Amino acid sequence: MSYSYSSGGHQYRFGSLRELMAKATPARSGDYLASVAAGDDEERVAAQMALSNVPLKQFLVEHVVPYETDEVTRLIIDEHDAKAFSVVSHLTVGGFRDWLLSEAANEKSLAALAPGLTPEMAAAVSKICRVQDLILIAQKCRVVTKFRNTIGLKGRLSTRLQPNHPTDDPTGIAASIFDGLMYGSGDAVIGINPATDSIPAVMTLLEMLHEVIQRYNIPTQSCILSHVTTSIEAINRGAPIDLVFQSIAGTEAANKSFGIDLNVLREGHEAALSLQRGTVGNNCMYFETGQGSALSANAHHGVDQQTLEARAYAVARKFKPLLVNTVVGFIGPEYLYDGKQIIRAGLEDHFCGKLLGVPMGCDICYTNHAEADQNDMDTLLTLLSVAGITFIMGIPGSDDIMLNYQTTSFHDALFARKALGLKPAPEFEEWLMNSGIFDGRDELHLADSLPKPFHRALAHLH
């Protein structure tokens, strides 16, 4: 099916929904690299106008990636909830935006709608939203998940404590963990990107994290961000795994480049569930995504990177994860060139994830060769915090010395909580107060009032 829009005596034609979606996308370097972007701003606006007139039902019959050759498309279509969709099934993309901004769209109605939305519907409406729309609508969405604490409640901002080390040195990692805990970080997860994916090394780190959490009775969960097959083998060897991790993408071919498919993810999910390590819930998966991943694997099928990113959230949604986050600026300036593109992409990702019922967080980050700096990250952090982001990263000094990129620090999370009156997960907040890290006003105590158990732990590290 083709689409068109006339302006100033000129008629713009778009040969397919896939082309229309790509050309309606706000400008970003990855779509230019893939030769799918609009030629200029006028064509982009024409595409956005044409897209706003497309009925939402059209996304159920015209697929941007073929149903016959892509298991992600089959997942999206086969598990679509027609009853949930019926509330908005009569709307166009533009009408859907208006509905989302209305009082009819509230926390309850949006949660009920989520199973009825396809990623392409969410991506389409995001393309015609202003930044303030992306924030206001996402703020109304609430996705709550549980393992050893409760993530995603209103008025809460959780953090992943990310104590990466270039040689996986347990002592260096432990020092960063205690540093983060002292700043109130770590309620989403204490999650390590291992320098090596070897099973013995991963199991060593898992045992250390298990010991720290058990010794100090911390109501949080741990994760080693190794390949899902490594986690499965570690579980088979008796490792104390809380969350199983995997990077995912929005096409079958891109996921194959990661060495996974839906069956492998299902196996990992079942293995994690079998351990029954959660205390307040059983959401036991952790997924990471990022705009450009399918293009970098030459597995994009001519689809724009933001639409494919939204499709990754359908993969995540299938396995009821505790956490999902877009590593928004990590893949590099080839995909998101500068701070402006990173900021827009982060807000789009959060918006689409929340609409689809995914517990969405963001690694607010950039690489050192991108046209971005920490001021851009401060802007995105503030906007996402207002939008109700589920969790962000917490890293010593905001500089990941293993992955060599810039993200958010323990102090940045404190800023967001302080500026907006946000708190950690309730179980973790109670632990912070009982441990003497927070006082009754949720203010941090300083080093001279470090809790005695941590004094002993740090002395041991020295």
Side-chain angles (χ1 to χ4, degrees):
M1 182 173 176
S2 63
Y3 304 85
S4 63
Y5 181 77
S6 297
S7 175
H10 181 77
Q11 187 171 51
Y12 291 89
R13 292 188 179 277
F14 309 96
S16 65
L17 189 56
R18 176 175 58 197
E19 180 186 355
L20 178 63
M21 292 273 280
K23 292 191 173 181
T25 305
R28 61 206 54 192
S29 53
D31 291 337
Y32 288 115
L33 181 64
S35 300
V36 300
D40 54 33
D41 288 340
E42 189 171 338
E43 184 182 24
R44 182 172 298 108
V45 171
Q48 290 170 342
M49 295 297 290
L51 180 61
S52 70
N53 292 322
V54 174
L56 289 180
K57 290 180 179 178
Q58 184 65 19
F59 294 93
L60 298 175
V61 296
E62 186 177 354
H63 310 138
V64 297
V65 182
Y67 179 94
E68 296 77 15
T69 58
D70 188 273
E71 69 173 358
V72 177
T73 301
R74 293 194 292 274
L75 170 69
I76 291 166
I77 298 302
D78 294 350
E79 299 200 1
H80 177 253
D81 188 330
K83 183 177 180 181
F85 178 59
S86 64
V87 176
V88 297
S89 62
H90 62 291
L91 297 174
T92 62
V93 172
F96 184 39
R97 171 186 170 273
D98 294 341
W99 184 87
L100 288 170
L101 289 168
S102 74
E103 294 301 318
N106 53 41
E107 182 177 328
K108 183 178 180 180
S109 63
L110 288 168
L113 174 64
L117 294 180
T118 70
E120 291 84 355
M121 294 174 191
V125 74
S126 77
K127 295 176 193 298
I128 64 169
C129 282
R130 295 173 58 180
V131 162
Q132 64 180 241
D133 299 337
L134 297 174
I135 293 171
L136 183 60
I137 295 166
Q139 189 184 68
K140 296 195 284 185
C141 299
R142 192 64 46 200
V143 182
V144 178
T145 56
K146 300 181 179 184
F147 191 76
R148 290 202 188 97
N149 56 26
T150 307
I151 306 293
L153 295 170
K154 189 172 184 177
R156 305 278 173 173
L157 173 64
S158 295
T159 58
R160 169 187 161 192
L161 202 173
Q162 185 172 315
N164 294 344
H165 193 280
T167 64
D168 287 341
D169 177 60
T171 300
I173 290 171
S176 292
I177 290 173
F178 285 112
D179 186 23
L181 290 171
M182 289 307 303
Y183 283 101
S185 186
D187 53 333
V189 64
I190 303 175
I192 302 170
N193 296 93
T196 173
D197 208 43
S198 78
I199 292 174
V202 166
M203 292 188 69
T204 296
L205 294 178
L206 285 167
E207 292 288 353
M208 183 197 72
L209 291 176
H210 172 74
E211 182 181 354
V212 168
I213 290 172
Q214 293 298 311
R215 177 178 295 182
Y216 300 108
N217 297 311
I218 308 171
T220 190
Q221 37 282 328
S222 68
C223 184
I224 304 300
L225 281 69
S226 55
H227 194 271
V228 61
T229 55
T230 302
S231 296
I232 292 169
E233 179 57 28
I235 289 173
N236 290 337
R237 298 187 188 186
I241 286 183
D242 293 337
L243 307 183
V244 166
F245 169 82
Q246 183 56 48
S247 294
I248 56 174
T251 70
E252 179 179 348
N255 283 325
K256 283 184 177 178
S257 76
F258 291 151
I260 62 166
D261 57 22
L262 296 179
N263 283 332
V264 171
L265 294 178
R266 187 176 296 107
E267 184 181 353
H269 186 218
E270 291 172 354
L273 283 173
S274 71
L275 298 180
Q276 298 182 331
R277 290 176 59 82
T279 55
V280 298
N282 61 358
N283 299 114
C284 55
M285 299 295 284
Y286 176 18
F287 296 117
E288 282 190 343
T289 66
Q291 287 193 30
S293 60
L295 176 58
S296 67
N298 194 28
H300 60 98
H301 300 276
V303 182
D304 69 273
Q305 64 184 37
Q306 190 258 335
T307 297
L308 293 180
E309 171 72 7
R311 283 168 55 95
Y313 306 151
V315 176
R317 180 170 63 178
K318 170 69 176 174
F319 300 101
K320 299 179 176 58
L322 181 76
L323 307 166
V324 178
N325 72 266
T326 168
V327 192
V328 66
F330 182 73
I331 303 181
E334 299 84 359
Y335 307 98
L336 296 170
Y337 179 71
D338 57 14
K340 182 177 181 179
Q341 292 187 10
I342 292 171
I343 289 167
R344 173 78 195 193
L347 292 168
E348 289 169 349
D349 294 350
H350 177 248
F351 169 94
C352 289
K354 283 290 186 66
L355 272 187
L356 294 167
V358 171
M360 203 68 202
C362 184
D363 191 341
I364 300 164
C365 63
Y366 65 101
T367 56
N368 288 316
H369 62 310
E371 290 294 321
D373 60 26
Q374 210 66 41
N375 287 319
D376 295 314
M377 300 306 104
D378 284 354
T379 298
L380 181 54
L381 167 63
T382 304
L383 294 174
L384 283 172
S385 297
V386 172
I389 191 80
T390 299
F391 72 106
I392 62 171
M393 306 300 120
I395 294 179
S398 78
D399 182 14
D400 192 306
I401 59 173
M402 195 279 281
L403 294 174
N404 292 311
Y405 77 116
Q406 310 302 313
T407 180
T408 45
S409 70
F410 306 140
H411 301 77
D412 295 330
L414 289 178
F415 150 73
R417 286 172 174 168
K418 183 73 172 179
L420 296 171
L422 303 173
K423 297 181 178 183
E427 299 89 345
F428 193 78
E429 179 190 18
E430 182 180 4
W431 177 83
L432 289 170
M433 294 179 66
N434 291 338
S435 299
I437 297 172
F438 276 13
D439 64 17
R441 298 166 297 151
D442 286 355
E443 297 284 351
L444 283 171
H445 285 302
L446 300 177
D448 59 0
S449 60
L450 187 69
K452 290 182 180 179
F454 286 6
H455 272 302
R456 294 194 295 271
L458 293 174
H460 174 71
L461 290 176
H462 292 309

